[in-house]
Amino acid sequence: MSKNSIANPAPLGLLGFGMTTVLLNLHNVGLLEKTVVIIAMGFALGGAAQIIAGIMEFKKGNVFGATAFTAYGFFWWSLIFIWWNPFGSIPADLTSMGFYLLLWGIFTLFMFIGSLKHNRATQVVFLSLTTLFFLLSIADFTGIGLITQIAGAVGIFCGGSAIYASLAQIVNNEYGKTVMPLGD
């Protein structure tokens, strides 16, 4: 199988990330309760779909896409484990969650730097995701609910930008031309 013989996995990964991010951040702004709907979306589309996209990016030789999709897919699975807490006696407190989100923010900051070699749509996704992780980390460290709500608004924008990037790649590929600009 040649390097280019598999389909572009980025639209799948971006869609999985984007839809799950929007859904979770509807909770963060206070519009939804945290229910099995968010957890199921995180497991299936946020986690599994991104991990599959990441593995496909590895096969294509794309280190950036492979690392991003695989890591964020496993982010969703780890977050689900934190919420579900199958370990029972080992709870997550706000300080540990603050550090968890801070580490993801630092990783995402460097992914944003890497995205500067990519199109504007990808840059917007990674810049807004960096902002989201840092805001959520600050919210957990301080316990200030308003910061979580602000982060939720950033998260809805971030997820929406990822959905746009996904759909733009699909539509542009189908028509063989730029119908939905990505800022190449």
Side-chain angles (χ1 to χ4, degrees):
M1 180 179 286
S2 76
K3 187 175 180 179
N4 294 320
S5 65
I6 61 173
N8 178 8
L12 172 63
L14 287 164
L15 186 68
F17 168 77
M19 289 180 64
T20 309
T21 299
V22 167
L23 193 60
L24 174 58
N25 284 287
L26 289 171
H27 163 72
N28 285 338
V29 297
L31 295 175
L32 293 178
E33 293 295 318
K34 189 187 313 172
T35 68
V36 70
V37 172
I38 296 171
I39 293 169
M41 179 77 94
F43 179 78
L45 206 56
Q50 282 196 93
I51 292 166
I52 290 167
I55 291 167
M56 291 175 67
E57 291 283 16
F58 274 113
K59 289 205 52 101
K60 290 183 73 126
N62 179 356
V63 173
F64 182 87
T67 303
F69 291 133
T70 306
Y72 293 117
F74 281 113
F75 160 80
W76 284 108
W77 282 3
S78 69
L79 187 60
I80 289 166
F81 271 105
I82 291 167
W83 290 338
W84 177 39
N85 192 7
F87 310 106
S89 64
I90 309 171
D93 59 81
L94 288 179
T95 301
S96 62
M97 285 304 296
F99 279 110
Y100 170 82
L101 294 164
L102 177 63
L103 289 170
W104 280 104
I106 293 167
F107 168 69
T108 304
L109 175 62
F110 282 91
M111 292 302 288
F112 167 68
I113 293 168
S115 79
L116 295 175
K117 293 192 70 170
H118 296 264
N119 61 49
R120 291 284 181 252
T122 302
Q123 294 168 20
V124 167
V125 170
F126 280 96
L127 180 59
S128 59
L129 183 57
T130 301
T131 305
L132 173 60
F133 276 128
F134 286 137
L135 284 171
L136 288 172
S137 177
I138 292 166
D140 281 348
F141 282 135
T142 64
I144 299 172
L146 178 61
I147 298 173
T148 301
Q149 291 178 312
I150 293 167
V154 171
I156 292 167
F157 172 81
C158 176
S161 67
I163 293 168
Y164 174 85
S166 169
L167 298 177
Q169 288 183 50
I170 293 167
V171 169
N172 293 348
N173 182 69
E174 290 303 308
Y175 285 90
K177 64 181 181 178
T178 300
V179 175
M180 298 172 68
L182 291 164
D184 294 327

